[in-house]
Amino acid sequence: MTKSPALYRVILLVWAALFGLALLTTAGSLSREITQRPVAGVLALVTLLFIGYFWLNGIKDVLYTAWYYLVMRGRIRPVRRRKLHRHPPRVVMVYCTRNDFNANSLAASMKQRYTNVHTVILDDSDKPEYLTMIDIFAATHDVQVVRRENHVGFKAGNLNNYLTGADYDYFVILDSDEIIPPRFIRRMLDYFASDQSIGIVQATHVATRNVTRFQQKFSLGVDSHWPVYQSVKNRYGFLSLLGHGAMVSKQAFDAAGSFPLMVAEDLCFSLAVREHGYTTVFAPDVTCQEEFPVDYLAFRKRHSKWTQGNMEFIRKNTRPIMTSRQLHWYEKLDIVLFTYALPLTAVFSVFVVINVVVLPMMHASFQFPLWMLIPTVAFLVAPMVNDVVFHWARMAHTKLLSYSGGSMMLYGSMYFTSLRSSLKSMFGNSVFLVTPKDSTAISFREALRSTRSELIFAGVLAVISLVFTRSVFPVFLLVLPAMVAPYLMVRHQPTRAELHERQRGKVLQAA
């Protein structure tokens, strides 16, 4: 598929008009502030630039959704089906696991309507119960198990350990909770046959097996995100392998050399593949199943992993991205707006310090025009636009409103996690965190203990704001979600029936 810069031209045009208006209406005040108080004036200008970047991200979210529904929907044409050659390609399904083996998911994924395929379990587990469960499954289903002596390189190292030197034409990446449809391999081969430059085909996903209340409440975002955002990125941005539910050609893997030993191995590998002339495409008609995190703690752990992975990616790949001759300018911008968002929480903290502490201490007189508050608030909720539009005709509006409000609190409560994870990765090593698949009931006291860092952070931030600005309003949208975190944890924790159902599933798998 030929890429197009049309969407990003519109995004930049809208942003330039809005931000240009902000520059015009603040130019006089900024000029006076810089003349009278140079330091305060420069800090005010930095603040304006922060706002401009925030607006650009918000415009991207709004126009991504609008573009899909007004321009793309109804025009997306999956590749046509093709006949297999007399000698069908050799395909291996690699199932990655570390103490989270799911026998039911793997068994369902193995029911492929394709003959020249075999399955390999890449097992990094170190808990005896999972080692035993995997060995029993492998013996029962005639599946190969590959284990390594060291666990260097996280998931990337696990994949490289097997794929380097193995005999195959294509490989499918399965995560522990992944379920791919029976025609997955057959359909993916149609995409590869349509264009010799394709190195990766990424399928779409829906959230299933939503047993806990947390999953039932917040998994709606999975169903709306995949078809909209990935379809748009496929045509107008940078599409990446997303870690699972995808097929990769051996030619692309050999060209890249290996999966980079990084937490965000999928994103880094996609970039390496692209630099060697291969592309990643989206298969919207191939729907896989994944599980949403079971509870708040699991969600927070996954969020931390994503933030660390993206920060590591920024540190090691920013220069290669900006100097790349393979990537178009709009693909580079797409990478920046999507990948840099989580780690830039640490940078956003500078914005908070400037406006809540430094400028009030300097008694700066500069104030932004009141009208700028309107787009800022609008773009604050912009990430929810796609969810609302997608589910508007699919569910009761009261339930959708509850989901939207809850999601804003949930993701807002991740600010401290993003900050801590960004700083950890910036000044240390990023760590690949496995999202827990089990959940336990907790009391409100335990929830307070589990979120004490968020609560302390919110309290300190509120006090600082009161001292320097005599109001909590400047940090209200950071403080409120953090304070709500214990409630989110307890309100959506699994019931006894849900815990029993998950435990029953584990027992059946072990059997």
Side-chain angles (χ1 to χ4, degrees):
M1 175 181 288
T2 304
K3 295 279 189 179
S4 169
L7 173 58
Y8 269 101
R9 284 175 178 167
V10 174
I11 290 174
L12 289 177
L13 182 63
V14 174
W15 175 80
L18 185 61
F19 191 60
L21 180 61
L23 288 175
L24 285 174
T25 55
T26 58
S29 299
L30 274 175
S31 178
R32 286 192 298 273
E33 193 72 33
I34 291 174
T35 301
Q36 298 172 6
R37 300 181 182 85
V39 176
V42 171
L43 291 178
L45 179 60
V46 170
T47 297
L48 183 61
L49 294 177
F50 271 116
I51 293 173
Y53 173 78
F54 178 73
W55 283 2
L56 180 58
N57 249 314
I59 292 170
K60 174 263 296 178
D61 284 324
V62 172
L63 288 185
Y64 246 70
T65 301
W67 201 271
Y68 175 81
Y69 287 102
L70 298 178
V71 178
M72 296 187 66
R73 190 172 65 165
R75 300 181 183 180
I76 299 175
R77 298 288 183 266
V79 301
R80 64 181 180 85
R81 300 186 184 278
R82 300 167 184 266
K83 292 183 178 180
L84 282 175
H85 296 297
R86 181 174 300 177
H87 302 291
R90 295 162 297 179
V91 179
V92 57
M93 297 199 302
V94 289
Y95 178 92
C96 303
T97 180
R98 178 175 170 80
N99 301 325
D100 59 354
F101 180 69
N102 189 315
N104 294 334
S105 295
L106 180 54
S109 295
M110 289 171 60
K111 296 176 181 179
Q112 292 296 301
R113 296 174 185 172
Y114 186 80
T115 55
N116 196 10
V117 57
H118 70 280
T119 303
V120 179
I121 300 176
L122 306 183
D123 182 28
D124 263 359
S125 303
D126 54 14
K127 293 184 179 180
E129 61 268 30
Y130 285 101
L131 296 172
T132 301
M133 192 186 304
I134 291 169
D135 288 339
I136 293 174
F137 181 93
T140 304
H141 295 82
D142 191 24
V143 171
Q144 180 184 0
V145 179
V146 175
R147 296 186 173 107
R148 51 187 182 143
E149 293 183 1
N150 63 66
H151 297 160
V152 174
F154 315 118
K155 181 180 178 180
N158 196 10
L159 287 166
N160 294 337
N161 180 61
Y162 171 75
L163 292 172
T164 304
D167 185 22
Y168 60 89
D169 296 308
Y170 300 91
F171 63 90
V172 179
I173 303 177
L174 302 175
D175 272 359
S176 63
D177 59 351
E178 180 85 15
I179 297 180
I180 61 176
R183 292 187 62 83
F184 180 93
I185 293 176
R186 182 65 188 84
R187 192 71 184 105
M188 289 300 201
L189 290 173
D190 292 336
Y191 279 84
F192 282 106
S194 69
D195 188 338
Q196 295 301 310
S197 69
I198 294 176
I200 304 170
V201 182
Q202 174 66 62
T204 190
H205 285 72
V206 294
T208 60
R209 295 154 289 168
N210 299 315
V211 177
T212 69
R213 284 185 291 184
F214 188 85
Q215 292 174 316
Q216 294 165 357
K217 175 80 171 183
F218 297 111
S219 64
L220 297 174
V222 174
D223 300 350
S224 57
H225 175 85
W226 278 88
V228 175
Y229 275 82
Q230 303 314 316
S231 292
V232 178
K233 290 171 77 69
N234 188 47
R235 180 78 169 90
Y236 301 99
F238 179 79
L239 183 69
S240 167
L241 165 69
L242 293 171
H244 59 287
M247 183 183 283
V248 183
S249 72
K250 189 176 192 301
Q251 290 179 331
F253 179 79
D254 289 343
S258 63
F259 279 91
L261 300 183
M262 298 171 68
V263 172
E265 86 293 328
D266 47 3
L267 178 58
C268 299
F269 179 73
S270 302
L271 188 62
V273 165
R274 180 61 191 279
E275 286 301 307
H276 287 84
Y278 291 93
T279 60
T280 302
V281 299
F282 183 55
D285 59 323
V286 182
T287 303
C288 305
Q289 302 176 45
E290 65 178 356
E291 285 191 18
F292 196 75
V294 293
D295 58 19
Y296 184 92
L297 292 175
F299 182 89
R300 187 173 66 181
K301 196 166 188 176
R302 188 185 71 170
H303 190 85
S304 176
K305 173 196 146 185
W306 285 356
T307 304
Q308 292 185 59
N310 286 7
M311 177 58 81
E312 184 183 35
F313 175 82
I314 290 173
R315 287 194 289 108
K316 297 186 178 182
N317 288 285
T318 294
R319 185 173 181 179
I321 290 171
M322 297 308 163
T323 58
S324 171
R325 295 184 178 181
Q326 288 286 345
L327 294 171
H328 300 294
W329 66 266
Y330 52 91
E331 291 180 281
K332 296 177 182 180
L333 181 56
D334 193 66
I335 293 173
V336 169
L337 292 182
F338 278 95
T339 308
Y340 289 38
L342 285 178
L344 282 179
T345 301
V347 180
F348 179 70
S349 299
V350 178
F351 169 82
V352 175
V353 170
I354 289 174
N355 287 274
V356 176
V357 178
V358 180
L359 289 180
M361 285 182 62
M362 300 178 69
H363 303 290
S365 59
F366 176 81
Q367 291 185 340
F368 290 103
L370 188 60
W371 73 264
M372 290 180 60
L373 186 62
I374 298 174
T376 302
V377 173
F379 295 141
L380 183 67
V381 300
M384 299 301 305
V385 171
N386 178 52
D387 290 348
V388 172
V389 175
F390 184 89
H391 292 289
W392 185 260
R394 292 176 170 84
M395 60 189 297
H397 294 169
T398 53
K399 183 179 179 181
L400 181 57
L401 180 62
S402 175
Y403 160 75
S404 301
S407 291
M408 290 186 65
M409 290 297 103
L410 174 63
Y411 285 94
S413 71
M414 292 294 118
Y415 178 83
F416 179 75
T417 297
S418 297
L419 175 60
R420 180 169 54 187
S421 300
S422 296
L423 294 175
K424 179 180 179 181
S425 180
M426 188 183 302
F427 299 107
N429 295 320
S430 297
V431 178
F432 189 101
L433 302 172
V434 178
T435 304
K437 300 300 189 293
D438 296 321
S439 181
T440 57
I442 62 174
S443 65
F444 190 72
R445 177 178 294 182
E446 291 171 324
L448 289 173
R449 187 182 305 116
S450 298
T451 58
R452 60 183 178 274
S453 296
E454 286 84 352
L455 296 174
I456 294 173
F457 171 78
V460 171
L461 198 59
V463 170
I464 291 175
S465 183
L466 281 171
V467 169
F468 290 99
T469 69
R470 299 182 181 180
S471 172
V472 184
F473 182 75
V475 295
F476 180 73
L477 293 177
L478 297 177
V479 171
L480 178 62
M483 300 298 290
V484 173
Y487 169 77
L488 289 173
M489 188 177 295
V490 174
R491 174 68 179 84
H492 301 292
Q493 69 174 312
T495 64
R496 290 183 179 180
E498 293 166 352
L499 292 173
H500 175 74
E501 182 65 24
R502 293 191 70 84
Q503 186 61 34
R504 178 174 175 272
K506 290 182 65 176
V507 171
L508 290 175
Q509 288 187 63

